[in-house]
C-alpha cells in the first residue's frame, strides 16, 4: 500500500492498494503536515495543522478508520515500536523542555517518561531502539541517547 497526500494548504490523504489497484480516501480537505507508517504497514500516524499546531491522528488501515489523538507534535518527533502497537513521542511541555510519552494505539493509554537534562531539549528525528529501552534523537544540533524510565 502507498499513502498519498498533498502538502498544500488543504489536501486529502488517500491509500493506494497495490494488490487491488484501488484508492481509499481517509481524510479530505485537511492540511496534512506529515505521516509515518507503522512497521507492520497496517497503521498510519499523521499530523494535521489545526489552529497553527500539528494535531496527531492515527489511521487503522484494516477498517480504513482514522481517529484524532489528543496530542500535539510533529511527525519527526514520534516513532513506532516494532510491534506497531505503541508510539513513543516528544511533545512540548512547560518551560521549553520536551516531554516524552509512550502512547498505546489500541487503548489510548499514555505513559510518561522522566529524564533530567542540563540543556533544554527540543526533539527532532526520534528513533526507538529495537529493545524499546532507549531512544535516539537530535536536539540543538547534537545527537542524544536516552534510557527510558517511567514516572513512579
Amino acid at each position: 500500500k502507498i499513502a498519498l497526500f498533498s502538502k498544500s494548504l488543504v489536501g486529502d490523504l488517500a491509500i493506494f492498494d497495490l494488490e487491488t489497484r484501488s484508492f481509499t480516501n481517509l481524510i479530505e480537505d485537511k492540511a496534512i503536515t506529515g505521516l509515518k507508517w507503522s512497521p507492520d504497514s497496517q497503521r498510519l500516524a499523521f499530523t494535521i495543522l489545526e489552529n497553527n499546531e500539528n494535531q496527531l491522528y492515527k489511521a487503522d488501515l484494516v477498517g480504513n478508520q482514522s481517529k484524532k489523538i489528543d496530542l500535539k507534535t510533529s511527525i519527526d518527533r514520534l516513532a513506532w515500536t516494532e510491534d506497531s502497537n505503541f508510539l513513543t513521542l516528544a511533545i512540548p511541555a512547560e518551560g521549553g523542555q520536551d516531554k516524552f510519552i509512550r502512547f498505546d494505539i489500541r487503548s489510548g493509554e499514555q505513559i510518561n517518561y522522566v529524564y533530567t537534562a542540563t540543556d533544554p531539549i527540543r526533539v527532532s528525528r526520534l528513533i526507538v531502539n529495537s529493545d524499546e529501552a532507549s531512544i535516539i534523537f537530535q536536539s540543538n544540533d547534537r545527537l542524544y541517547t536516552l534510557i527510558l524510565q517511567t514516572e513512579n
Side-chain angles (χ1 to χ4, degrees), residues 7-61:
K7 278 190 105 170
S8 62
L9 281 175
V10 176
D12 300 341
L13 172 59
I15 304 299
F16 179 68
D17 189 319
L18 295 170
E19 291 177 12
T20 64
R21 298 179 187 261
S22 63
F23 277 100
T24 303
N25 266 352
L26 290 176
I27 301 291
E28 294 180 352
D29 299 325
K30 298 289 184 179
I32 300 161
T33 56
L35 62 84
K36 274 193 185 173
W37 283 100
S38 62
D40 67 2
S41 301
Q42 298 302 308
R43 296 182 175 115
L44 277 175
F46 59 97
T47 51
I48 294 176
L49 189 62
E50 295 179 355
N51 300 319
N52 293 321
E53 294 183 299
N54 286 311
Q55 176 63 54
L56 184 60
Y57 285 76
K58 68 170 184 164
D60 184 347
L61 301 182

Side-chain angles (χ1 to χ4, degrees), residues 27-127:
I27 301 291
E28 294 180 352
D29 299 325
K30 298 289 184 179
I32 300 161
T33 56
L35 62 84
K36 274 193 185 173
W37 283 100
S38 62
D40 67 2
S41 301
Q42 298 302 308
R43 296 182 175 115
L44 277 175
F46 59 97
T47 51
I48 294 176
L49 189 62
E50 295 179 355
N51 300 319
N52 293 321
E53 294 183 299
N54 286 311
Q55 176 63 54
L56 184 60
Y57 285 76
K58 68 170 184 164
D60 184 347
L61 301 182
V62 174
N64 292 324
Q65 297 177 355
S66 61
K67 183 177 179 182
K68 185 176 188 174
I69 298 172
D70 193 23
L71 296 169
K72 293 170 178 44
T73 191
S74 61
I75 211 68
D76 72 331
R77 295 163 48 82
L78 68 84
W80 287 96
T81 56
E82 281 190 22
D83 65 5
S84 301
N85 290 322
F86 298 91
L87 289 170
T88 299
L89 54 143
I91 58 173
E94 294 178 22
Q97 195 86 295
D98 278 341
K99 177 180 174 179
F100 293 98
I101 65 168
R102 177 180 169 109
F103 181 81
D104 188 326
I105 286 292
R106 302 157 301 174
S107 70
E109 180 183 1
Q110 296 178 33
I111 298 171
N112 294 324
Y113 291 118
V114 295
Y115 68 96
T116 304
T118 55
D119 296 324
I121 299 291
R122 286 292 295 159
V123 174
S124 65
R125 299 184 179 137
L126 179 67
I127 299 169

